[in-house]
Amino acid sequence: MASSSSFLSEDQLQCSICLDVFTDPVSTPCGHNFCMTCLKECWDTSSHCRCPLCKEEFPQRPELRVNTFISGLVAQLMDPVQVKSSSTAEDPTAYLVLCDICSKKKREALKSCLICVASYCKTHLEPHQRVPLLKKHKLIDSVENLEDYICQKHEKLLEMFCRDDQTCVCQFCTETDHKNHNTVPIEEESAEKKNELVRNHAKVEQMIRDRLKKIDKIKCSVKINKKNAEQETTEHVEIFKALINVMQENQRAAERQAKEFIKDLEQDITELMRRNTELEQISNTEDHLHLLQIYPSLCRPPPTNNWTDVSIQSHLDVETLKRALSQLQECIDDEMKKVVSMELQRIQQHAVDVNLDPDTANSYLILSDDGKQVTCGDTKQDLPDNPERFDYCPCVLGKEGFSSGRFYYEVQVKGKTEWDLGVTRESSNRKGGIKPNPTDGYWFVCLRNKTAYLALDSPRDSLSLKQAPEKVGVFVDYEEGLVSFYDVENESHIYSFTGQSFTGKLYPLFKPGRNCGGKNSAPLIICPVSQVQSQLVNVMQRCCLSLFIFFLLYFFLSIILRMDFCAYVPHFLRYHH
């Protein structure tokens, strides 16, 4: 009978609190085991009496007794461990592979023979290097577990690998149990596995490099964003500073004017007080002749200013204020346009290929052969009235529906006086008149009478657009419940349905509007994905071109400022030629 040490390890008899082998092991009612001291300390320091492992609470604190069975297992386990540790300390060669032939003092083995199933030291290995028959034996670096290299069934060398069962086999196995299986020499399979490991190693290293590059890219983006934010903050602060400076200068001007007015008024008061004294004195005089002689000068008003219409006016420069506010508004508009432009570039990465579904098209609609254009005709076509088809409203859906993730597509609306674009639920009504609002499963914007743009929300929302869009982008984030519309050419936001709750598939919807005697004959055209992607490339090219022109101008200006222009022209012409 096998001993307990053959199937038990130190880890299996370890307390989960102190992470050491049990000392006086005790069991809880839930079946878990701990050291008695560890469990008591745990319960003494807690207001709840529960198992530290599964957290089951006990209404009353259990009485702890040593589990004699587990304690006995611990004792059996510790004995061989102690013996092994003591023998290791006494014999430094305990973990070396020793020669199987040496009889007295065992020496270290250099090689192991898979044919002889034995390990040899330098002295006893000599016959395998000299005798021709023994030279054919398969030698490997000395190993302790030679039995693992031998087939347990046929006691032969494991020298083949069965790819069907993914196991090592001997030559006899290939003729019996693994007959007709795909078997190859273990060296060949090992070489392939090594190559695969090398490839995996290279992939992991590449993944590490990619992530390090991503970290650098993110850090660089943070730096650029911080620099741009600081620059834009400085520009905006300068605008506010200019506005504050204007107001402060106006205040200082008003204070200077007030001081001048007060000075003049004080001079007038002094003059009036002098006149008042003269009048008081002359009114009490007995010299009648003198009174008559100076009376004309006293009757004239004193030399003072007329202050009736004088007041301190606000010196706020309204025009300067308007210019500062206008400049601030332009900065805000520019920033908003940048934000929308970046948002549009981001969502264009989710562009999908949309094709019109003829099975859903109203009988008056005319679809192009490539499924990318639709217009409304004047004559009703003879088409089967299937459940998917719009029988009254001149609408058509895209072929593919979307029930998760994000998708984006663009539609050209140039030259039209009426159109409707958006998405609808798969289950929305297609027969008779429809109610275009989110409640009935329709999310779209429309154009009416050439200039009136509406978001068909609940209630309808009239849209004020600075420019008539020629190409409209539609973006849907299914999980976020978002449907957004963009003017692609002007890189501006048109409208967004937010906080929606989608169920089932969503399909792109197109309504080109009635022909109106040819006034609305231009088709709705779905832009291919390649065109959307080329727009992203064009944005990058425009940025590169702007940088190139900037550096080119800087180069020429630097030369012109540092050199005589006339002397430089011949060099420039020769270089240009």
Side-chain angles (χ1 to χ4, degrees):
M1 183 175 177
S3 65
S4 61
S5 60
S6 65
F7 60 89
L8 281 176
S9 66
E10 185 175 344
D11 293 338
Q12 292 172 295
L13 296 174
Q14 191 178 72
C15 174
S16 60
I17 298 177
C18 65
L19 302 179
D20 204 348
V21 177
F22 289 122
T23 302
D24 296 328
V26 294
S27 300
T28 59
C30 58
H32 295 113
N33 304 302
F34 308 91
C35 298
M36 179 179 286
T37 304
C38 295
L39 189 58
K40 281 185 177 180
E41 289 179 356
C42 181
W43 283 352
D44 290 340
T45 57
S46 174
S47 59
H48 300 280
C49 185
R50 59 185 179 184
C51 175
L53 201 59
C54 68
K55 308 303 181 185
E56 180 179 345
E57 292 194 13
F58 310 115
Q60 294 182 352
R61 183 164 177 167
E63 182 180 356
L64 299 178
R65 294 182 179 177
V66 175
N67 189 319
T68 55
F69 177 75
I70 297 178
S71 182
L73 291 178
V74 171
Q76 292 181 27
L77 176 70
M78 293 303 294
D79 284 342
V81 170
Q82 292 172 355
V83 171
K84 183 176 181 181
S85 61
S86 60
S87 64
T88 301
E90 294 171 359
D91 184 6
T93 63
Y95 291 109
L96 298 177
V97 179
L98 302 179
C99 177
D100 293 325
I101 308 301
C102 294
S103 57
K104 295 182 179 179
K105 185 179 180 181
K106 296 281 187 180
R107 286 178 288 185
E108 181 183 357
L110 295 182
K111 295 288 182 179
S112 296
C113 178
L114 296 178
I115 305 300
C116 302
V117 193
S119 298
Y120 301 101
C121 64
K122 182 177 181 181
T123 302
H124 294 109
L125 182 65
E126 187 270 338
H128 279 76
Q129 299 171 338
R130 176 175 50 83
V131 179
L133 184 61
L134 295 179
K135 281 184 178 181
K136 297 180 181 179
H137 286 195
K138 192 166 185 177
L139 298 176
I140 61 173
D141 291 336
S142 58
V143 292
E144 187 175 4
N145 53 334
L146 273 172
E147 294 81 4
D148 294 344
Y149 292 79
I150 305 299
C151 176
Q152 298 299 315
K153 184 175 182 180
H154 301 106
E155 296 184 354
K156 296 295 181 180
L157 178 65
L158 295 173
E159 53 186 348
M160 304 296 288
F161 183 81
C162 177
R163 288 178 172 174
D164 294 342
D165 297 333
Q166 291 293 299
T167 185
C168 294
V169 296
C170 69
Q171 192 65 43
F172 283 98
C173 291
T174 61
E175 299 172 1
T176 55
D177 297 343
H178 297 268
K179 189 177 182 180
N180 300 324
H181 285 193
N182 182 13
T183 56
V184 294
I186 58 173
E187 293 84 357
E188 180 181 339
E189 185 67 20
S190 177
E192 288 192 12
K193 289 292 190 289
K194 282 184 179 179
N195 291 335
E196 186 175 345
L197 291 174
V198 170
R199 288 193 295 270
N200 289 338
H201 178 64
K203 287 180 182 178
V204 171
E205 286 189 334
Q206 184 61 44
M207 291 171 68
I208 294 171
R209 288 193 293 270
D210 291 343
R211 279 149 182 78
L212 289 173
K213 287 181 181 178
K214 193 67 175 179
I215 291 174
D216 293 338
K217 189 175 180 181
I218 292 172
K219 289 181 178 178
C220 183
S221 298
V222 171
K223 278 186 180 178
I224 293 173
N225 290 338
K226 183 179 180 181
K227 184 178 179 181
N228 292 339
E230 290 175 350
Q231 182 179 352
E232 292 170 4
T233 302
T234 302
E235 292 175 356
H236 295 163
V237 168
E238 290 299 323
I239 295 173
F240 282 109
K241 281 184 178 178
L243 184 60
I244 293 171
N245 289 337
V246 170
M247 298 175 71
Q248 290 177 342
E249 182 59 35
N250 290 335
Q251 176 63 23
R252 288 191 290 268
E255 291 175 357
R256 287 194 299 268
Q257 187 183 45
K259 287 181 180 180
E260 292 174 359
F261 285 166
I262 291 172
K263 183 179 179 181
D264 292 342
L265 284 167
E266 289 175 344
Q267 290 177 355
D268 284 0
I269 290 172
T270 302
E271 183 63 28
L272 289 171
M273 290 179 69
R274 186 184 64 79
R275 175 61 62 88
N276 190 45
T277 302
E278 290 179 351
L279 289 173
E280 185 178 357
Q281 290 176 350
I282 201 65
S283 62
N284 295 324
T285 185
E286 296 296 333
D287 189 345
H288 305 293
L289 179 61
H290 179 65
L291 186 149
L292 294 175
Q293 288 175 342
I294 66 171
Y295 178 79
S297 61
L298 295 176
C299 289
R300 292 193 297 270
T304 57
N305 297 315
N306 183 9
W307 297 94
T308 306
D309 298 326
V310 175
S311 63
I312 299 297
Q313 301 292 334
S314 173
H315 285 74
L316 182 61
D317 191 339
V318 177
E319 291 302 322
T320 303
L321 179 60
K322 283 183 178 179
R323 285 196 299 271
L325 292 176
S326 176
Q327 189 177 0
L328 181 60
Q329 183 63 48
E330 288 177 2
C331 290
I332 293 174
D333 291 342
D334 289 343
E335 292 305 312
M336 287 300 297
K337 189 170 183 179
K338 289 179 184 177
V339 170
V340 174
S341 178
M342 288 189 293
E343 181 184 10
L344 189 57
Q345 292 175 32
R346 177 181 61 82
I347 66 177
Q348 282 177 334
Q349 298 175 9
H350 302 282
V352 295
D353 190 21
V354 177
N355 295 287
L356 300 173
D357 185 0
D359 292 335
T360 65
N362 180 271
S363 300
Y364 281 92
L365 297 184
I366 302 172
L367 277 58
S368 62
D369 294 337
D370 61 358
K372 296 292 185 182
Q373 301 184 27
V374 57
T375 186
C376 189
D378 295 322
T379 306
K380 184 176 181 180
Q381 304 172 74
D382 186 16
L383 299 174
D385 185 19
N386 52 44
E388 296 83 13
R389 191 179 306 283
F390 289 89
D391 64 350
Y392 179 77
C393 293
C395 300
V396 61
L397 302 182
K399 280 187 177 181
E400 296 295 328
F402 302 88
S403 57
S404 64
R406 302 167 180 172
F407 63 94
Y408 172 83
Y409 60 94
E410 294 178 356
V411 184
Q412 181 177 309
V413 297
K414 183 178 180 180
K416 297 193 67 61
T417 60
E418 180 179 330
W419 51 260
D420 296 59
L421 289 174
V423 294
T424 184
R425 284 198 299 253
E426 183 178 22
S427 59
S428 59
N429 178 43
R430 305 182 193 180
K431 303 300 180 182
I434 63 174
K435 296 179 181 179
N437 58 63
T439 304
D440 291 302
Y442 291 92
W443 295 268
F444 51 84
V445 297
C446 67
L447 169 65
R448 297 288 184 268
N449 300 324
K450 198 175 182 178
T451 57
Y453 293 91
L454 299 171
L456 301 183
D457 208 336
S458 300
R460 293 190 176 188
D461 195 354
S462 180
L463 305 177
S464 178
L465 305 183
K466 293 182 179 180
Q467 293 177 298
E470 295 185 354
K471 188 183 293 183
V472 176
V474 183
F475 173 68
V476 177
D477 188 328
Y478 195 97
E479 282 72 23
E480 289 294 327
L482 173 69
V483 182
S484 294
F485 299 85
Y486 296 88
D487 181 343
V488 178
E489 301 296 335
N490 296 315
E491 295 185 331
S492 60
H493 176 254
I494 296 176
Y495 189 80
S496 287
F497 295 87
T498 59
Q500 305 299 307
S501 180
F502 301 133
T503 56
K505 286 187 177 182
L506 294 179
Y507 286 84
L509 181 143
F510 308 86
K511 184 180 177 184
R514 303 292 180 182
N515 193 294
C516 298
K519 295 180 181 179
N520 191 38
S521 60
L524 289 176
I525 304 175
I526 302 172
C527 301
V529 175
S530 57
Q531 184 176 338
V532 177
Q533 293 172 342
S534 67
Q535 291 172 359
L536 289 172
V537 176
N538 290 336
V539 170
M540 299 301 296
Q541 289 176 342
R542 288 200 300 269
C543 293
C544 294
L545 181 61
S546 299
L547 287 172
F548 173 75
I549 293 173
F550 169 77
F551 285 115
L552 190 63
L553 290 173
Y554 179 80
F555 170 73
F556 283 119
L557 286 172
S558 299
I559 294 176
I560 292 171
L561 290 173
R562 295 178 184 177
M563 298 175 57
D564 180 67
F565 181 73
C566 294
Y568 174 73
V569 168
H571 297 282
F572 170 73
L573 292 176
R574 185 165 59 253
Y575 174 79
H576 181 69
H577 177 71

